[in-house]
């Protein structure tokens, strides 16, 4: 509470060890306050906070903070200290030693993807924002804490650097298996890095679960709105052109059957689209069609191709095309324009990234 105002109300949750748990929600929902209560930067007015079964509220708050890694958006590197000195700061304070464990410092640098010989003796001002954030993570890992708290650490970075550090965090925790409590307001970031997501609203937890569970079963209208309909049902807003292969394997109808087999072997496909020199769509042919007539050397692809294969018009809604792809005997459907020119190829593989599963399961159940 701040004065007579309750900020966090009835918070009751368990954070699994060794996982990345992401708190997400709109500004002012209590994410950062919850994070700061874990290491007692903010003291709760009631309740208990257990770390490995021990109530941190009954422990010395300085020792609690030294035993928990903490990474923030502003990083907080000391400008007058070298990178090695910054990383080794907490162990030096805890053990009251002036010296630096160079071997361990170098190991932390390598762990976050930085070459020790290049960065060990530099100063923070000589590093980019992304490199400084890596140093912040290395410093948090240096004392080998069971828990690392991260308060919007990547939000001030450019999109490319941010994505790189998100990938690095996922990779890193596969190696070190720390319990990472991560705060963000970015739902895309939460869905990418989290093993579990905790969605907060007005100081309360409204849903906790894996990204898959939350995407499939949003708890209430607030969660649905916060996720956004495009994340829940992405195929509804897409057209076939968004996911089709734009350079499918093609063949001229005058080519021989042996030539077609060679093309298939080289391109590792079992079917080819047949077009003329102007890219006008003519038909499809697969290995079954070719081998059925392979002994007749006088035949060309135009003689054995299928002219009645199902096609889909460019610009069509992906939702309408999904069942056509699933039912196609070749596992693909050509995409053509109004003039019947080939525009691309819609395959079962090209549908994977659009989360068509909810729709497909609905179709199967009918």
């Amino acid at each position: 509470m701040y004065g007579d105002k309750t900020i966090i109300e009835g918070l009751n949750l368990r954070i699994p060890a060794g996982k990345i748990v992401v708190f997400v929600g709109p500004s002012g929902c209590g994410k950062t306050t919850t994070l700061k209560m874990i290491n007692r930067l903010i003291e709760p007015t009631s309740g208990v906070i257990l770390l490995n079964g021990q109530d941190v509220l009954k422990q010395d708050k300085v020792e609690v903070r030294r035993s928990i890694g903490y990474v923030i958006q502003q990083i907080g590197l000391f400008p007058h200290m070298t990178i090695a000195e910054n990383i080794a700061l907490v162990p030096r304070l805890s053990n009251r030693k002036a010296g630096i464990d160079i071997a361990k410092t170098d190991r932390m640098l390598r762990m976050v993807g930085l070459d020790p010989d290049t960065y060990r003796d530099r100063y923070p001002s000589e590093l980019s924002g992304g490199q400084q954030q890596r140093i912040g993570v290395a410093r948090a890992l240096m004392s080998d804490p069971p828990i690392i708290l991260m308060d919007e650490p990547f939000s001030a970075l450019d999109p490319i650097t941010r994505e790189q550090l998100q990938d690095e965090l996922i990779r890193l925790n596969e190696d070190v298996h720390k319990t990472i409590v991560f705060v963000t307001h970015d739902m895309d970031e939460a869905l990418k890095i989290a093993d579990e997501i905790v969605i907060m609203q007005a100081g309360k937890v409204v849903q906790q679960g894996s990204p898959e569970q939350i995407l499939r079963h949003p708890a209430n209208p607030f969660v649905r709105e916060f996720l956004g309909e495009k994340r829940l049902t992405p195929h509804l807003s897409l057209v076939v052109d968004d996911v089709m292969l734009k350079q499918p394997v093609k063949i001229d109808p005058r080519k021989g059957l042996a030539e077609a087999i060679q093309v298939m072997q080289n391109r590792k496909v079992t079917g080819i689209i047949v077009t003329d020199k102007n890219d006008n769509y003519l038909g499809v042919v697969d290995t079954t069609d070719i081998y059925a007539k392979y002994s007749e050397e006088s035949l060309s692809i135009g003689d054995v191709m299928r002219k009645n294969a199902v096609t889909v018009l460019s610009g069509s809604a992906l939702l309408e095309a999904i069942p056509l792809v699933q039912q196609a005997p070749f596992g693909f459907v050509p995409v053509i324009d109004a003039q019947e020119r080939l525009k691309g190829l819609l395959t079962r593989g090209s549908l994977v990234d659009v989360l068509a599963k909810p729709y497909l399961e609905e179709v199967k159940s009918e």
Side-chain angles (χ1 to χ4, degrees):
M1 297 180 65
Y2 285 121
D4 58 356
K5 184 178 180 180
T6 300
I7 306 300
I8 305 295
E9 182 179 347
L11 183 66
N12 184 11
L13 58 85
R14 179 179 179 275
I15 296 175
K19 302 294 184 181
I20 300 176
V21 178
V22 178
F23 284 74
V24 65
S27 298
C29 70
K31 306 183 299 293
T32 295
T33 299
T34 301
L35 193 77
K36 289 182 176 180
M37 286 194 297
I38 294 174
N39 70 347
R40 298 182 63 186
L41 285 174
I42 293 176
E43 296 282 13
T45 53
S46 62
V48 295
I49 301 171
L50 301 178
L51 173 58
N52 294 327
Q54 303 297 314
D55 188 352
V56 299
L57 301 178
K58 296 179 180 178
Q59 301 173 33
D60 179 79
K61 65 174 63 177
V62 174
E63 292 304 315
V64 168
R65 289 171 193 161
R66 287 180 178 175
S67 68
I68 297 176
Y70 196 45
V71 184
I72 58 177
Q73 179 181 325
Q74 293 79 15
I75 309 167
L77 299 180
F78 291 96
H80 63 286
M81 292 184 180
T82 66
I83 297 308
E85 289 170 335
N86 268 283
I87 292 174
L89 181 63
V90 173
R92 290 165 64 201
L93 290 173
S94 299
N95 300 323
R96 296 175 180 168
K97 291 182 178 179
I100 297 174
D101 187 337
I102 294 297
K104 189 171 183 181
T105 301
D106 286 357
R107 188 163 68 249
M108 294 301 105
L109 282 168
R110 284 191 290 269
M111 194 173 290
V112 297
L114 296 175
D115 176 55
D117 292 334
T118 302
Y119 293 97
R120 183 193 308 117
D121 299 320
R122 290 189 180 183
Y123 288 87
S125 61
E126 300 176 82
L127 274 59
S128 69
Q131 290 167 342
Q132 289 186 34
Q133 279 294 5
R134 289 173 187 261
I135 298 304
V137 174
R139 183 174 62 185
L141 289 168
M142 183 66 174
S143 57
D144 198 24
I147 294 176
I148 298 175
L149 308 179
M150 306 185 80
D151 192 0
E152 301 207 42
F154 308 147
S155 61
L157 302 174
D158 65 88
I160 294 176
T161 302
R162 184 172 187 172
E163 187 169 348
Q164 290 173 343
L165 288 181
Q166 289 167 355
D167 293 336
E168 192 72 24
L169 181 65
I170 295 168
R171 180 202 63 77
L172 184 63
N173 212 44
E174 289 176 351
D175 295 333
V176 298
H177 303 292
K178 299 297 181 183
T179 302
I180 297 176
V181 185
F182 191 107
V183 164
T184 184
H185 64 275
D186 185 337
M187 197 66 212
D188 287 326
E189 183 167 63
L191 290 169
K192 178 176 180 178
I193 69 173
D195 295 304
E196 281 200 15
I197 295 175
V198 177
I199 300 180
M200 297 188 70
Q201 179 189 22
K204 297 181 180 179
V205 172
V206 292
Q207 188 167 5
Q208 179 177 3
S210 69
E212 182 77 4
Q213 290 169 335
I214 288 173
L215 284 170
R216 287 180 176 271
H217 307 290
N220 57 30
F222 168 79
V223 176
R224 288 191 67 88
E225 183 178 354
F226 196 76
L227 286 167
E229 288 299 322
K230 287 188 176 182
R231 293 192 185 95
L232 294 170
T233 51
H235 55 276
L236 295 180
S237 61
L238 296 176
V239 296
V240 294
D241 307 63
D242 294 322
V243 297
M244 69 183 184
L245 302 179
K246 294 184 171 57
Q247 294 184 321
V249 182
K250 301 177 291 186
I251 194 166
D252 189 284
R254 296 168 295 182
K255 293 292 185 179
L257 305 191
E259 292 178 89
I261 291 295
Q262 190 64 47
V263 171
M264 290 179 175
Q265 289 177 337
N266 290 341
R267 299 295 296 273
K268 294 180 172 56
V269 295
T270 58
I272 312 180
I273 311 300
V274 185
T275 63
D276 65 17
K277 63 180 181 180
N278 297 316
D279 254 0
N280 293 308
Y281 169 76
L282 301 175
V284 299
V285 64
D286 77 347
T287 51
T288 303
D289 301 319
I290 293 174
Y291 283 121
K293 299 288 185 178
Y294 193 73
S295 60
E296 302 180 39
E297 296 184 15
S298 62
L299 295 181
S300 66
I301 286 298
D303 298 318
V304 301
M305 70 181 182
R306 303 191 193 192
K307 301 177 182 178
N308 60 347
V310 173
T311 60
V312 64
L313 193 62
S314 174
S316 298
L318 182 62
L319 182 63
E320 299 172 3
I322 288 173
L324 299 179
V325 178
Q326 295 304 312
Q327 296 162 14
F330 312 110
F332 60 80
V333 173
V335 179
I336 60 174
D337 64 15
Q339 290 73 44
E340 298 194 353
R341 289 190 298 266
L342 182 68
K343 304 301 292 182
L345 192 66
L346 198 61
T347 71
R348 291 171 185 168
S350 65
L351 299 178
V352 171
D353 293 333
V354 297
L355 275 175
K357 288 182 182 179
Y359 173 76
L360 297 178
E361 290 170 358
E362 180 182 328
V363 170
K364 289 177 184 177
S365 66
E366 292 179 351

